Amino acid sequence: MDKIFSSYLKFESPTRNKQSIIGDFIVLLYLIGILPILGVPFSLPFFLAAIIPAIMITLWGMVYIVDPYKNEKSYYLFLGVYGIVNTYVFFILVQKLLYVNIGASGPAAFIFSLLLFILLIFGMNWMNWKALYSGTYYKLQQKTKIPVGWAALSGVSYVLGQFILSLIYTDSGISILIIVCLSIISLYPAFLSINIHRYFFIKKNMDKVKQMFPEFGLPKDERYTKKKKKKKKKKRNNNNKKNNLEL
């Protein structure tokens, strides 16, 4: 169990978390996700379906941009929800391409895409659970050679499903390429959804997290104070040793 804890509780610094949020918002959520939905021909229903959850997750994300240190624990819950929202925005973009740009009709394309979206999210979280409790994360960190082909099953199935769907509704190579590329990009935010499980894992085992990372979740000034005290104590001990040697 100790190996599971050590492999799963690998934290980035709060500053790094803040930078990741800003980068993901600008590039993935708005530049790749929302901006193309604004393109011609414009569709208000698809735009509203994407922009409302995008704004809500952005407002939530501001909490971790303003104070990433104090909110370090809940950041992982946010990151998991953000992953689902960003994947959903890409899902809406694909629907806009199919129904508005390509001209698909009927509910079949939407239902099939929705099933792929749900299976992708659940597949990523199932793989995370399996990798955690089978010791795969630990073995990967130890650079042990292990078979991880099963880990790509969810992602490959999603991309292949979207490719087949695009082939059914269009003969345009460019449209097919765009949908496949969006499907591939969707794998990253979908993978981030595993942080919902990680958050509850941290919350359940907070005592052990604190043993491994005493400063986890503390405000920045308290972390700085502790580090400063340790440096002063170390310096004082060194001075005492030096004085003893001189005597």
Side-chain angles (χ1 to χ4, degrees):
M1 193 65 178
D2 290 339
K3 292 179 180 180
I4 290 177
F5 275 94
S6 63
S7 65
Y8 205 42
L9 301 178
K10 296 292 183 180
F11 301 127
E12 295 285 354
S13 69
T15 301
R16 176 61 179 165
N17 293 340
K18 174 181 177 179
Q19 294 170 348
S20 296
I21 292 172
I22 296 173
D24 288 345
F25 276 168
I26 294 174
V27 178
L28 287 177
L29 185 58
Y30 287 99
L31 188 61
I32 300 179
I34 297 297
L35 189 60
I37 296 178
L38 290 169
V40 178
F42 176 74
S43 172
L44 182 60
F46 283 111
F47 174 71
L48 292 176
I51 196 63
I52 292 174
I55 290 175
M56 292 175 66
I57 200 67
T58 301
L59 293 175
W60 187 5
M62 291 299 173
V63 173
Y64 307 97
I65 293 175
V66 173
D67 192 351
Y69 289 86
K70 185 178 179 181
N71 301 294
E72 187 175 10
K73 183 175 74 171
S74 63
Y75 163 78
Y76 294 97
L77 177 61
F78 157 79
L79 188 61
V81 176
Y82 161 76
I84 295 176
V85 170
N86 206 153
T87 310
Y88 164 79
V89 169
F90 289 157
F91 161 76
I92 294 297
L93 175 55
V94 170
Q95 299 313 295
K96 193 248 183 181
L97 290 172
L98 286 172
Y99 283 94
V100 179
N101 294 67
I102 295 175
S105 59
F110 175 79
I111 293 172
F112 185 68
S113 289
L114 181 61
L115 288 174
L116 288 175
F117 167 75
I118 294 172
L119 288 173
L120 175 64
I121 298 299
F122 275 95
M124 286 291 182
N125 283 272
W126 173 80
M127 287 191 299
N128 173 65
W129 182 87
K130 183 175 178 64
L132 172 63
Y133 290 104
S134 66
T136 300
Y137 284 142
Y138 174 77
K139 292 175 183 176
L140 286 172
Q141 290 171 7
Q142 298 301 312
K143 297 182 179 179
T144 304
K145 188 176 181 181
I146 55 174
V148 291
W150 55 265
L153 181 61
S154 178
V156 171
S157 299
Y158 181 74
V159 174
L160 182 61
Q162 293 284 23
F163 174 69
I164 294 173
L165 182 66
S166 61
L167 279 178
I168 293 173
Y169 287 95
T170 181
D171 295 327
S172 172
I174 295 177
S175 297
I176 294 172
L177 180 62
I178 292 173
I179 291 175
V180 170
C181 287
L182 282 172
S183 302
I184 294 172
I185 296 172
S186 296
L187 302 183
Y188 170 69
F191 177 75
L192 293 181
S193 69
I194 70 171
N195 284 284
I196 295 177
H197 175 271
R198 197 178 186 192
Y199 165 75
F200 287 106
F201 185 88
I202 292 170
K203 187 176 180 180
K204 182 180 178 181
N205 302 284
M206 197 61 191
D207 54 337
K208 294 186 179 180
V209 173
K210 281 292 187 179
Q211 289 176 8
M212 296 173 65
F213 307 96
E215 295 187 342
F216 182 82
L218 292 179
K220 184 178 181 180
D221 55 346
E222 292 185 24
R223 301 184 192 204
Y224 177 75
T225 301
K226 286 190 173 184
K227 288 180 180 179
K228 192 173 180 180
K229 285 181 178 178
K230 286 181 180 179
K231 286 182 180 179
K232 283 184 177 180
K233 186 177 180 180
K234 186 177 181 181
K235 185 177 180 181
R236 186 164 58 249
N237 291 336
N238 289 337
N239 289 335
N240 290 336
K241 288 180 181 179
K242 185 178 179 181
N243 292 333
N244 292 333
L245 290 172
E246 289 176 354
L247 292 173

